[in-house]
Amino acid sequence: MTQIFAPAADTWLRLFLAGGLALLGGGLVGVIGFAHSAYMTSTDFRPQQPVPFSHKHHAGELGIDCRYCHSGVETGPQAGLPPTTTCMTCHSQIWTNAAMLEPVRQSLTQQKPIAWTRVAKLPDYVFFRHDIHVVKGVGCETCHGRIDTMPLTYRAKAFTMEFCIDCHRDPMPNLRPEESITAMGWRTPSDTQKQREAIAAHEGIRFGELTHCYVCHR
Amino acid sequence: MAAEAYGLLAEFGSPEALLKAAREARGAGYRRLDAFTPFPVEGLSLALRLARPGVSWIGLIGGFAGAAVALLMQVYVNYDYPLDVGGRPVYAISAFAVVTFELTILFSALSMIAAMLWQNGLPRLNHPVFAGRRFHLASKDRYFLCVQSDDQAFDPQQTAAFLRRSGALSVELIPP
Amino acid sequence: MTDRSADVLPVNQSLGGVTEQLAGIPLHFPARRRWLATMVFACALLLLLMVSIAALFTRGVGIWGINIPVNWAFAIHNYVWWLGIGHAGTLISAFLLLTGSEWRNSLNRFAETMTLFAVICAGIYPVLHLGRPWYLYWMFPYPATMGVWPQFRSPLEWDIWAVLTYLTVSLAFWYTGLIPDLAAARDRARSRGWQIFFGITALGWRGSAAHWSRWSQAYRLTAGLAVPLVVSVHSEVSLLFAAGQIPGWHSTIFPPYFVLGAAFSGFAVVSIIAIALRFWFGLENLVTDEHLDLLGKVLLATGLMTAYGYVFEVFDALYSGGPHEIQTLIDRIAGAYAWTYWGALVFNFIPLQALWWRRVRRCGSALLLISASVVVGMWLERYMILVTSLYRDFLVSSWGEFTPTFWDWSTYFGTIGLFLVPFLLAIRFIPMISIFETKELLHEEQEERHGG
Amino acid sequence: MTRRVPPDSNSSQGPGLRQWSGIEELSGDPAFQAWVDAEYPAAAEFTPTARREFLKLMGASFALAGLTGCEKSPFVAALPYVDQPQDVSIGVPKNYATAVVLDGYAQPVIATTYSGRPTKLEGNPDHPVTQGRSDIFMQAAVLGLYDPDRAQGPTRRGEPVSWNDVADHIGALRAEWGRTQGEGLRLLTGPVTSPTLSRQLDALLKQFPKARIHTHEPVADGGRRNLTAAAYGQPLDVDYQLESCAVVVSFDDDLLGPGPDQVRRARSWSSARRRDGNGPGLRLHMAESVPSITGAMAGDRLVTEASRMPSLAQALASKAGVTGAAMPDLTPVEREWIDRAAAACRSAQGRALIVANAFGDVATASWVARTNEALAASSLLRFTTPLQSVANAGALADLVAEVTAGQVETLVVVDTNPVYSASGSLNFREGMQKIRSSLHLGLQRDETGELCEWQLPLTHALESWGDARAIDGTATIIQPVISPFYDVRTVHQVVAMMSGQLDPAAEAIVRETWRSRLPGDFETAWRQSLRDGFVRDTAAEAVLVRPDPAEIVPPFADDGLDIVFRPDPTVWDGQFANIGWLQELPKPLTTLTWGNVIAVSPALAKRIDVANGDHVKVTIRERSTVGPAWIAPGQADNTVALYLGYGRMRAGRVGDGIGYDAYAIRPVDQPWLTKGTLHKVGTAEVLAVTQLHHRMDGFDFVREVSVEHPALQPPPAQPSLYPARASSKNAWGMVIDLDSCIGCNACVVACTAENNVPVVGKDQVKIGREMHWLRIARYFTGEIEAPRSFFQPVPCMHCEDAPCEMGCPVDATTHSPEGVNQMVYNRCIGTRTCSSYCPYKVRRFNFYDYRNAPDSPEQAAHNPDVTLRSRGVMEKCTYCTQRIEAAHVAADKENRPLREGDVVTACQSACPTRAIVFGDINDPDSEVSRLRRDGRHYALLEEQGTRPRTTYLARWNDKRGDRQG
């Protein structure tokens, strides 16, 4: 009987086995990592908008309050996008014929809405309400990030269930006083914990009752 | 010396002949011995003074590992997001028993078989003995005794003669 | 009796001859025609399965006859049936190995192979029966962006782990036992292709003394683990039902009842295969009438134990005296699906009684027919346990009825194809009877002859 | 065209946050068209107008949560308003008071709208008649609005035309009528209570004095007016004062059954029934030929032929000492029943009321009238002059006669469907050929619309300006809650065109009517009425009448079977045939869906050897029809019941070609009870019933208590292996009073509407896949000839130790700290274990994708607060969790705890008898806690140890009570 395989064959076979195992493990880790990646949570994406609206300019530099445009935020589930007329309250006075604002004027004259691209969108089976969060002392910044530094708006936080549930388990770290709800870059004063507890108590937050399914899914 | 051969391969017609030869070889002071048989032959490892295999211990460890992994996993997921499931306890050990048992067995069995292959140095596709002309009979109905060349007492001529004396049907020098 | 059991195999055959004969089956395959014909048939069934699955995934489980209340039917029912069949393989090779009944050496290889593919057939059902199968991976614990985990109190969750463990361990056990024979085939092979195929699969096994000693230990210990595993797996499957409160399910007898039933149906299938193979490949010298005799005895024993399960179930219902339990009992005996109950009784236990006679046991064709009837009977039993319990549970107002649709049947028959195709491939490419164990047994017998 | 009421003026509403106001104008904003184009491409398939209006409708909201099935790329277009209206906050529902119409009667509703889409109707709690309760027709009306088969624009012989063409044609006709003074002009209306329409028709007749008006009411309120005319000498409407009754004896009168008066009667009946806590407050004795839900609730029920009623009524009359009432000969069973009834009446001392079938015969009615007189029960009856009155209108038969005589040039059919619902013997269809010019005004191009030259589509009540009177006469000014999204007009607009106005404004016509009728400053009163949802103090005046002493002629009797006609319990006279919710609604007592049956008694069935579903042929005066037989337990031996409303050919894609047409063989002179024959045909069909087995088989699903044993055995305390869990502040629970539940199904439809429960169709129901979250179980006990019947609504029990939750491998169903058994659709992978383990089988599974096509108009009817369930997902009753969470948010925003009544489930608010009570069981003072302490309280299958949160109150057994006292 003669050798069927050359000595090298062993090396190859073992390499093959080791490689296979490595690939398997690596693949698993890779897939899970990909699911958490910025790509999948679309936090890396700055969609083009019909009008290159800059929150940095309006909210940051001019310091317009969020609620001026997103008027529904305290009254309903949806913060709402501003109607064209809201834009025109100022832009009928200033930058009246800036080319950049042509779509806005078009919208008003032709009664056609501006087709914005939604940046913050949750799946249909998630029933999120802005009003209750705002009323209970969760600031805009908590979910939307430093909007006042965004020339083009993007999704600052990954809107995964983990993200929501973390806060629903313990809202404390994200609570702020009423007057600072829309404030950006709001720093908590020295006696943070006490103050947060005070807010929590004052708002009567139902700790431990915010993590069951029907709070968000119906 | 040892460089030019792997060893001498002696062929025997029955397990009994092989056993006899193996004992004689030990008696003659050969230590680097190995035998090849078509099925496990009782007393052979004794005759060759092989160490008791330690596969069972690895199996035991694997079993404990499996149980631990299973229990920790199940306890952790319920600790991470405790949900009220039909009023059952959050850490329902009785319910966790099944998966724990399954993983115990899985880990134990796999670890033993892996250990067996590892200790046997398998897979090994190319091995000197395969070069033996009549070695293919080792998986049929012949029984081989191999004296390796790295044995102190190994000497191609004398060892071959010794093996023939102890009843080998054929003796062959295996190249390295 | 003892000396008969001493030589199950006729001793007037040489080890070399056995080796050539068995290793020869894959290398110089006899009965190509028959094999091809069967293969075509099997592939047709497999195709049917593919079509059924395509329809299922595109249109949804609605294509089956299931409804509320009978929302589990063929899928779960055939799942249990296949898994049950699978168990015999492990029991034969592992359990009998431990008890040192070496006559099993001629049967264990194809019994294990049968197990492997039966478990695969069973394994696809839990996937198929899901409403949204593409979310199957939610049943495994992985760090999800949802922060939600599987629910380990659920029998279905246990099920996944049990079946996967069972599949992996059976595979490992089967392969470990196969290595030395692959080596034998490698050494017999002449053509380069066969040499490489068997060369790699044999992992370079040399049959050295050290190999054998480690191998034996690992093999025996794995066998030792496989036996409780089988028991646990099918007990767990029974909990799938027993954990629910439905009358006819919620019973402590279920685990042993299921395990015995499983062994019963499994041994029946083993007998069928044994008889078929020895007829195909002229293996009468290795799978002897002695084997059939022993198989017949085992079949009879497990059958009687299953019958005890039936009796006890009736007693259970009457003893509990729960009106709903009794209602279900009556439904079984006289309800819309009484035919399954009586069918199960008749097919399982009436022909079985013939096995009391040695002549019947030793007659291949007779044993074949009885085994076939047992397989049918056990299929009916599972139908009975599932549908009869669900179609009428507690509230009269929720009672319904179940009629299988074309797709129910096509999926079921399709899985038979899924079983046959790989099995046929296996007997084509792998020694279907353990060569070295046969030789071991043969050698011992010859020794005894010389000794006595 | 519609007006908005400034929010401030709501403050005048006093307590309660009822701010119904005029609808927001949403049309004309192209903003949404683009958006909907993106979301609903196939909307393009509508006619241009329809599409434009539909876009308007859909686009109104970009908060259609859940409407798009699966997740898309997160970056979808978002379209804000160009000019956002003042009081619109997206996603916040608004409520408007208005009314829908059943057989001309107003059904006052509060319409919930999301960004202009009405999605749910609740009863108007302020309304004197319904007091916030509702029935199946009111609940289902909203789906009629989105019926995809509505006529979307005017047509002439099927060809689309414009309203200008219509105006031209009517102009031409008017010229002709002018010459002939309306000679040859005939109008055919359905039942009408609308003051505006009456006013308009009167005006029209003044213009064209020779024109005539006829009315056609296939069901309406039966022969009630003829009966009163015979019994009291003048046609009357009657209202039973059940609250003050101790005993009611009904001669085949299904007073609790479906129809315009069901809500009022069910309400007063149940309050009377509950009057005293320790026993049944009102006892019902009923003699009936066809099993009805009233019979099911009756404590003492006699099964006998409809043709026996006169004799029975006479017998009771003679017992009550009515002059001229000789004792007729009765069977022993009948006599015993009469004795018991008479005894009960006597002991009731003036608080006993005898009622006769509205579909019954004159003799019975007359005897009953006199018996009431004799029992001094007049105070229990309130008579009013008929509401449904068009000045000297003729009957349909007269019209047909004129048509055949060729005296009719022009026929205007106003919102009725004679071609389908006229008696077959009239041959109305053939008659139509003789008419030169015919116009049909109606929502659909139905059988009549198709045959008429012109079909002029009308608005749905929810998009109309109009008015109508409720059953008691209280008028409601109907205001649109949404602007019409098809090219349609209100009936008033069309009639106004006929009387010469060119393009009348819908609102103006109605204002015109009320300008003279509203007291005080018109604008204020007008707004007030709109906000209230009804015009105060407009109930009809009671009239005092005495029975007419004329000789009572017993109705002719010949041998042969009694053939009884009844309106269908769910599609009524056929007008609801295209409403999927009602087609799939299990009919009381049979649980039949998607069709009608020919109900026969068990004895008769045995005699001609038929089983359920076997086809039988009913022949009446050489006209015959074939339908599936149904063996009705408790039906009189020689009575056969036919159900109207099926066998339609032009109802639409839902209602076409289902069931048999009973109108075809319905005699004109005996529309409700006649004689005929029955034969077995030999063919058969499978009926789509949702409950296969109706016997309680000795189980105690429905328990009973009696006056001598008013309390049930409290269950033994069951030890639990499970750890005690801490509940949160609120713990929700529901108690259902089986003594009040009349099985009317209002709760089921309400649940369907509130929770987007899909309609699965006949074939799926046949194989047991109906999706109702709440089923009403029907049980019989006793012998099949005269069984006792029980209703038991079965929603999810929300078990505290729920078996289903334990079965789920992925945590898709878990328990909330408030004790709600949660079902998370988006986590469900469809193992169906939960349903297998559920002892109550209340879970429902999406075997297929049952959702409407993403662009079908029905989509707009969906509640945006509830996810649409996709294929392969389990679903079930959630205790209307969207309402619970909304209440939590509202309360949390005000930083206050939840109060009793903050959360009202859909089924609870719909129930006409208030049998369903939902609330916080942690609050000892809540209604639900009070009921849980009641002696009649028990849990279904409590021996299973599931500890349900949904529990029941046992039913009172009147009979046993009688024997004792």
Side-chain angles (χ1 to χ4, degrees), chain C residues 91 259-268 295-308 349 352 374:
Chain C
L91 284 176
V259 174
L260 288 170
F264 185 36
S265 58
F267 280 119
L295 274 174
K297 284 178 187 157
V298 177
L299 204 56
L300 186 55
T302 46
L304 292 176
M305 291 189 248
T306 314
Y308 170 79
F349 305 125
L352 188 71
V374 168

Side-chain angles (χ1 to χ4, degrees), chain D residues 555-569:
Chain D
F556 80 99
D558 65 359
D559 48 0
L561 296 171
D562 283 355
I563 309 289
V564 176
F565 291 88
R566 291 277 187 271
D568 185 88

Side-chain angles (χ1 to χ4, degrees), chain C residues 57-60 62-64 66-68 71-72 129 131-132 138 151 154 156 240 246 393-394 396-397, chain D residues 695 767 769 775 779 806-809 811 826-833 835-837 841 847-848 871 944:
Chain C
F57 284 176
T58 45
R59 295 178 51 204
I63 67 174
W64 293 340
I66 48 178
N67 56 22
I68 306 290
N71 60 13
W72 278 356
H129 102 294
R132 303 200 292 173
W138 283 352
Q151 204 276 95
S154 160
L156 266 83
L240 218 56
I246 304 305
D393 65 349
F394 295 99
V396 171
S397 63
Chain D
R695 291 211 152 278
I767 52 178
R769 294 175 180 178
R775 72 170 184 266
Y779 295 117
M806 187 272 263
C808 180
D811 271 331
N826 45 297
R827 177 68 176 173
C828 178
I829 63 175
T831 68
R832 305 189 292 290
T833 321
S835 176
S836 293
Y837 288 3
K841 289 287 176 285
F847 290 94
Y848 288 122
R871 171 190 127 195
Q944 288 302 312

Side-chain angles (χ1 to χ4, degrees), chain D residues 886-897:
Chain D
H888 268 310
V889 168
D892 287 353
K893 280 168 80 173
E894 296 168 28
N895 213 338
R896 60 165 172 87

Side-chain angles (χ1 to χ4, degrees), chain A residues 57-80:
Chain A
H57 176 62
H58 292 82
E61 290 152 21
L62 301 179
I64 302 172
D65 187 281
C66 307
R67 286 162 291 197
Y68 181 76
C69 300
H70 306 290
S71 52
V73 78
E74 283 167 318
T75 57
Q78 306 245 343

Side-chain angles (χ1 to χ4, degrees), chain C residues 56-69 71-72 129-132 134-135 138-139 146 148-151 153-157 239-241 243-246 249 323-324 327 390 392-401, chain D residues 690-697 699 701 767-769 775 777 779 794 803 805-811 825-833 835-841 843-845 847-848 870-874 940-941 943-944 946:
Chain C
L56 179 70
F57 284 176
T58 45
R59 295 178 51 204
V61 287
I63 67 174
W64 293 340
I66 48 178
N67 56 22
I68 306 290
N71 60 13
W72 278 356
H129 102 294
L130 292 184
R132 303 200 292 173
W134 49 93
Y135 286 129
W138 283 352
M139 293 183 81
M146 294 173 280
V148 186
W149 300 95
Q151 204 276 95
R153 294 170 204 77
S154 160
L156 266 83
E157 187 62 26
L239 292 181
L240 218 56
F241 307 98
Q245 295 188 337
I246 304 305
W249 284 5
H324 295 289
Q327 169 75 45
L390 276 178
R392 289 189 164 191
D393 65 349
F394 295 99
L395 294 185
V396 171
S397 63
S398 65
W399 289 359
E401 259 156 36
Chain D
T690 61
Q691 186 177 333
L692 304 178
H693 195 90
H694 291 261
R695 291 211 152 278
M696 217 183 313
D697 283 344
F699 295 116
F701 306 140
I767 52 178
R769 294 175 180 178
R775 72 170 184 266
Y779 295 117
V794 185
E805 295 173 13
M806 187 272 263
C808 180
V810 291
D811 271 331
Y825 315 119
N826 45 297
R827 177 68 176 173
C828 178
I829 63 175
T831 68
R832 305 189 292 290
T833 321
S835 176
S836 293
Y837 288 3
C838 175
Y840 309 90
K841 289 287 176 285
R843 288 171 163 266
R844 296 286 176 258
F845 188 70
F847 290 94
Y848 288 122
S870 71
R871 171 190 127 195
V873 169
M874 190 63 69
L940 192 54
L941 299 180
E943 72 276 11
Q944 288 302 312
T946 53

Side-chain angles (χ1 to χ4, degrees), chain C residues 4 73 80 104 107 110 221 231 262 307 311 328 398 410:
Chain C
R4 189 189 292 113
V80 179
R104 88 8 139 185
L107 309 178
F110 60 75
L221 286 172
V231 177
V311 176
T328 306
S398 65
S410 65

Side-chain angles (χ1 to χ4, degrees), chain D residues 33 36-52 54-55 152 855-856:
Chain D
Q33 303 198 18
V36 177
D37 277 338
E39 285 287 295
Y40 301 92
E45 286 169 19
F46 293 116
T47 66
T49 15
R51 177 172 172 283
R52 194 181 69 248
F54 172 64
L55 293 180
Q152 300 178 0
D855 56 353
S856 62

